[in-house]
Each structure stands twice: as structure tokens, then as C-alpha cells.
Amino acid sequence: MKNSDNQGFFSHLGSDFPASLVVFLVAVPLCLGIALASGAPLFSGIIAGIVGGIVVSLISKSQLGVSGPAAGLAVIVLTAIGDMGSFENFLAAVVIAGIFQVLLGVFKTGVFAYYLPSSVIKGMLSGIGVIIILKQIPHAFGYDADPEGDLDFFQPDGHNTFSELFYALENITPGALVISTIGLAILILWERPFMKKFSFTKIVNGPLLAVATGIGLNVIFEGNEFFSLHGEHVVNIPVNESLGDFFGQFTTPNFAVLANYKTYTVALTIAIVASIETLLSVEATDKMDPERRITPTNRELIAQGVGNSVSGLIGGLPVTQVIVRSSANIQSGGKTRASAFFHGIMLLVCVMAIPHVLNLIPLASLAAVLLVVGYKLVKPSIFKAMYKTGHSQFYSFIVTIIAIVFTDLLTGIGLGLAVAMVFILWNNFKTPYHFDPNEIKEGEPIRIELSEDVSFLNKAGFIKTFGLLPNNSHVIIDATRTKDIHWDVLEVIEDFKINAKSKDINLELVGFDAHLSILE
């Protein structure tokens, strides 16, 4: 099997195009909701989604990551627009932020992602899954006061994640509830093993059918006093009467503010936060990749930086790689970055040509799709698997989930990382291993000998070493003298076992019987 990064851009079109449809449907309300929460023009969120889909995917080497406006930047953007006096002034800071990100990539700061414990990354995914479920329940009931894309505990509408659930129960919209229930039924049915036997299920995508059914029901309910949906219950893209009106929504930055130091302070803040969110998403997306491909993080920072500069130049919000859309992409069968690219193309074409049709999509239908995405991120089996890894892994995993749900993404990651580091320091962690790339001789096995203790701090070293191993080689990883191997290093080795097949590497593991069983 060839590495898919070396195959043509359209080599998996049969999988990537249907996945891009789902990502597109999920992205539309998220782009609008994040723009609304940011205090920016609604169309700026759409621009960011288009740029994230088209520009970033062409430069990035992340096969499954999807970029667009990020909920984690909404508060920063809202504050920055007020501090800088206008949206046009803020756009200049976005352009500069992109340049800063390119420099971060050039100076290879992307290595930061390799130092994130697996327990924290999996806690982040599960935490996001919990938030998606909690945030989408009100939309499924037809209570849409909190904008799509909001992931923080304290909401712009004055409520919090949990209090919003009670208000939703008191403000049920019958038509929305019917649509979300039928949508969920379709999605659950499509997941059943017996349905896989029917050939039409490979052609008709479950999420797409759920959304199309929602549109049909919305049209049927029109004029019915009890079931009809109102403006806040559907996607609400600005409608243009002509192409001139469409292009008139693009905004250019006011570069006069480049003389103001505040511009660079805002730009640096956006660059740092956007880079951290991107690296977190990259690490999480790679963990979910069935082929365990590794994204070049420095290249990703450069791609995001170019994307941010382009977005700022034409009136868009800052972009990052985002885990909700990336998760939807993976769960919908995406194989390569072509799916992210096509979702950007669809955003551009559909917003330009058929906004009236998009405005028929009920948020309740999209809630059904996202509820399934959320469940897959937080399945009970994930908790059981993490519990088996030991107390230190499980505690940091749980703390990350709880902290993300009750605060925000970055705060939750920080608290989870702090707990993981406490356990790492407690267990003492110096773990050298022997490998010298200069000693590689053609025709002879490459031997990597591990020492008695292998810690999490060696994770980045292992990833770098495995990247240096030539194709068609015979590699022996020897753990006969090893007493303890950290969970993250075991997972890197397990991922390399899968990835080695695509490079025709004959991998031999010696002395791992007592260690790798924990991954099974």
C-alpha cells in the first residue's frame, strides 16, 4: 500500500467528496455562529471557512484536518475589534498575525505538539464530544439562543452550558424536534451493520440524507402554525441579489493602523492562540486517522499563517485547524486533504449561487449530525480503554474532560497537562535509547535498543527517529532490557507498526510482550 500523501490529489475522490459534503453542511452554521459570537460581520465567518478550505488545504500536509474560523478565538476577536476601533482596523492585525505564524513555522516551533501527552489529547477529544452533545441538545429542541460554534461554558446569551438545557426544555419548537428526531433515526439506522449490505448506502451519505430530509420537512411545515420553523431555527446566510452585492461583502484592511503598536499586540495574541489551537487539533486529528499518518507541524503553521493573511486581506476572521469539522471529516470517511479543499469550494459556490437553498437547512438537522459526531468522540469504550492504561493516564484524561466542559478548550488543556506533568515528575523520567542514523548499513537490520526506563519525554525523539528510517528496511526495536515504557511511547510504536506497512519496512519488536498488551 502506498502512502496516500504521495498519491494524486483526487486519488480517493469516491470517499473524499461525500465527506466534504458533510463537512460543508456542518461548517456553514459554525462559520456564521462564530462570526456572530465574535461581533464581526456574518459574512466574515464564511470567508474564513472558504479560505480555510481552499488556501490552507493546498499548502498543508494534514490529510484529514479541516480549517476555518475557530470558536476559541471568538472572545479575543470580539475584544480586539472594540479595542482597535473598527473591523477594518482589526483585519490588518489578522494579516500580521498570519506573517507571525509563518515565522513560527519557519523557526520550527511546531515541535511543541509532540510534547502533548496522549491522555490529554484523548481527554480533549472526549471533552469536545461532551460539549458538542450538550450544546446541540438545545438546537435539536428548537431553542437557538446560543449561536452555533460556541464551545465555552459561559455563553454570550447570559446562560451556561447546563442552564441552557433547562431553557431549551421550556422553549421546545415542535417542528425542530420532529426534524432532529427523524434525522437521528436516519443516522443511527445508517450505522447499523445490516444496512451496509445495501449498495445504496455507499452512494447516499447518511448525514446528507438527514439534512435533505430536514429541508423537505421544513418546506412541508411552512404555513403550519404548530410545526413551522422561524428565522432563528434555520441557517441564515446573507442573500445577495447580484454578484456585485456578493463581492461587495468582502472587506479590505485599513493598513494605516500599522503605525499603532496595538496592532502588533493583537496580531501576536492571535498568532499564538491560533497556533496552539491548530497544533492541538493536528495532534488530535492524527490520533483519529485510521492510517496513523503524522502531519508536519511546522508546515501546518506556515499553511495556517498564509491562510490567516489571505483571510485578513479579503475580510475574513482568523482561521485555525478545528477539531469539530476535522472529526466530522474523519467519521464521514474522508481519506485525504481533498475533502477539506472541496468543502471550501462548496462554501464559495453555494454561498454565491444558492444561498436561498442553504437558508432552508434547519439547525435541528445539523444538530442531529453533530450529536452523532459528539457521541463517537466520547463513547464509553474510550473511558474503559483509558482506565486500563493506569491511574496517571486516566486521571489526566478525566481532568482534561471536566476542565474543558466547565471552562474552555485552552484552559482545559492547560489543567490536564499540569496533572499529566505532575505524574511524570512523580515517576522520574530519564530514558535514553540507542540509535545512530550514521551507523545504518545497507542490507543490515537497523537496531534500536531501549534502556531500562522509557518516559513520555522521549515521545518526540521516537517520532523523529521513525521519520528517519528508510523505506524497504528491516528495523528491530529491542526492549529486552526495558522495565517500564510510558503509554505515549507505546502508542507511537504501535502507530509506527501501522505506518511501516506503507513504507515496506519490515518491523521486528523484541521483548515487547509485557508492554504492548496494554494497547490491545
Side-chain angles (χ1 to χ4, degrees):
M1 182 180 70
K2 296 182 180 179
N3 191 320
S4 57
D5 187 46
N6 296 324
Q7 296 179 5
F9 196 75
F10 303 108
S11 58
H12 291 281
L13 192 59
S15 299
D16 288 330
F17 190 75
S20 69
L21 277 169
V22 178
V23 178
F24 157 70
L25 293 170
V26 169
V28 171
L30 293 180
C31 289
L32 295 170
I34 291 168
L36 180 64
S38 302
L42 289 182
F43 197 69
S44 66
I46 296 293
I47 293 172
I50 293 169
V51 171
I54 299 175
V55 177
V56 175
S57 66
L58 289 176
I59 303 171
S60 168
K61 292 296 182 183
S62 177
Q63 294 301 317
L64 298 174
V66 181
S67 298
L73 287 171
V75 174
I76 294 173
V77 172
L78 180 65
T79 304
I81 293 174
D83 289 345
M84 298 194 68
S86 72
F87 183 63
E88 290 75 13
N89 292 348
F90 167 74
L91 291 177
V94 177
V95 175
I96 301 301
I99 295 172
F100 285 159
Q101 276 190 288
V102 170
L103 293 175
L104 288 173
V106 170
F107 288 109
K108 302 188 183 304
T109 61
V111 71
F112 164 79
Y114 297 142
Y115 289 95
L116 293 169
S118 176
S119 57
V120 174
I121 294 299
K122 292 185 177 181
M124 179 187 79
L125 287 171
S126 294
I128 292 292
V130 173
I131 291 175
I132 290 174
I133 292 171
L134 293 175
K135 295 285 188 179
Q136 290 302 319
I137 288 174
H139 293 299
F141 280 90
Y143 182 64
D144 303 293
D146 188 39
E148 290 279 8
D150 174 35
L151 299 180
D152 292 346
F153 183 70
F154 296 104
Q155 302 177 169
D157 64 353
H159 305 315
N160 62 52
T161 303
F162 290 104
S163 67
E164 189 83 353
L165 299 176
F166 294 103
Y167 283 93
L169 292 175
E170 295 175 356
N171 295 275
I172 296 174
T173 302
L177 184 58
V178 169
I179 288 171
S180 62
T181 301
I182 292 176
L184 268 176
I186 291 171
L187 292 166
I188 294 171
L189 180 65
W190 240 245
E191 293 287 326
R192 297 300 89 198
F194 75 88
M195 287 295 292
K196 307 294 183 184
K197 299 177 182 178
F198 299 104
S199 58
F200 68 85
T201 59
K202 298 178 181 178
I203 302 172
V204 181
N205 189 291
L208 184 61
L209 178 61
V211 172
T213 302
I215 293 174
L217 290 171
N218 181 24
V219 173
I220 293 171
F221 291 159
E222 283 183 6
N224 186 298
E225 186 176 341
F226 187 70
F227 286 106
S228 65
L229 303 182
H230 304 292
E232 70 270 20
H233 303 313
V234 295
V235 170
N236 189 18
I237 293 175
V239 176
N240 310 286
E241 298 301 326
S242 66
L243 281 180
D245 293 338
F246 171 77
F247 288 110
Q249 294 188 85
F250 289 82
T251 309
T252 54
N254 175 22
F255 287 116
V257 296
L258 293 183
N260 187 341
Y261 77 92
K262 189 178 292 184
T263 303
Y264 301 94
T265 302
V266 171
L268 185 60
T269 302
I270 292 171
I272 292 173
V273 176
S275 297
I276 291 173
E277 290 212 11
T278 290
L279 293 176
L280 290 170
S281 181
V282 163
E283 185 76 358
T285 301
D286 286 353
K287 288 288 181 211
M288 292 187 289
D289 182 1
E291 297 182 35
R292 299 298 195 274
R293 291 164 291 189
I294 297 174
T295 298
T297 50
N298 295 314
R299 174 66 173 256
E300 186 65 23
L301 289 179
I302 292 172
Q304 297 292 334
V306 173
N308 269 318
S309 291
V310 172
S311 186
L313 284 171
I314 59 177
L317 291 174
V319 300
T320 73
Q321 189 177 123
V322 278
I323 196 62
V324 176
R325 273 157 274 187
S326 300
S327 300
N329 184 27
I330 294 168
Q331 294 173 17
S332 301
K335 298 292 185 184
T336 74
R337 55 200 173 98
S339 57
F341 174 79
F342 284 121
H343 117 274
I345 294 292
M346 290 178 198
L347 272 173
L348 175 61
V349 173
C350 293
V351 171
M352 183 188 301
I354 54 169
H356 295 88
V357 176
L358 296 182
N359 286 344
L360 292 173
I361 300 175
L363 296 182
S365 289
L366 300 173
V369 174
L370 287 169
L371 283 169
V372 173
V373 170
Y375 172 75
K376 289 182 177 180
L377 290 174
V378 71
K379 290 187 293 187
S381 59
I382 296 171
F383 287 79
K384 293 178 182 177
M386 288 305 299
Y387 184 76
K388 286 174 59 179
T389 65
H391 292 308
S392 62
Q393 300 294 316
F394 187 69
Y395 290 154
S396 58
F397 170 76
I398 291 295
V399 167
T400 303
I401 294 174
I402 295 173
I404 286 176
V405 171
F406 283 96
T407 59
D408 56 66
L409 179 64
L410 294 183
T411 302
I413 289 290
L415 291 172
L417 187 59
V419 172
M421 292 304 295
V422 167
F423 278 105
I424 290 166
L425 293 171
W426 183 263
N427 292 325
N428 202 350
F429 43 70
K430 291 186 178 179
T431 51
Y433 61 93
H434 177 72
F435 171 73
D436 186 356
N438 296 318
E439 295 179 359
I440 296 177
K441 297 180 181 179
E442 188 173 351
E444 294 185 6
I446 301 169
R447 180 175 291 274
I448 301 174
E449 296 181 1
L450 308 189
S451 62
E452 286 191 1
D453 297 296
V454 181
S455 81
F456 154 74
L457 294 182
N458 283 109
K459 177 181 175 182
F462 274 100
I463 292 174
K464 181 179 179 181
T465 295
F466 292 152
L468 295 173
L469 298 175
N471 293 357
N472 305 305
S473 57
H474 179 194
V475 178
I476 301 172
I477 304 178
D478 189 351
T480 53
R481 297 189 303 113
T482 306
K483 295 180 179 178
D484 182 67
I485 305 178
H486 193 273
W487 160 261
D488 283 353
V489 175
L490 286 173
E491 194 170 49
V492 168
I493 294 172
E494 189 70 9
D495 289 348
F496 178 62
K497 279 178 61 179
I498 299 172
N499 187 251
K501 297 175 183 177
S502 66
K503 297 182 177 181
D504 293 321
I505 293 176
N506 178 19
L507 179 62
E508 183 179 351
L509 300 179
V510 179
F512 277 88
D513 292 346
H515 302 293
L516 286 178
S517 59
I518 197 172
L519 290 170
E520 298 175 355

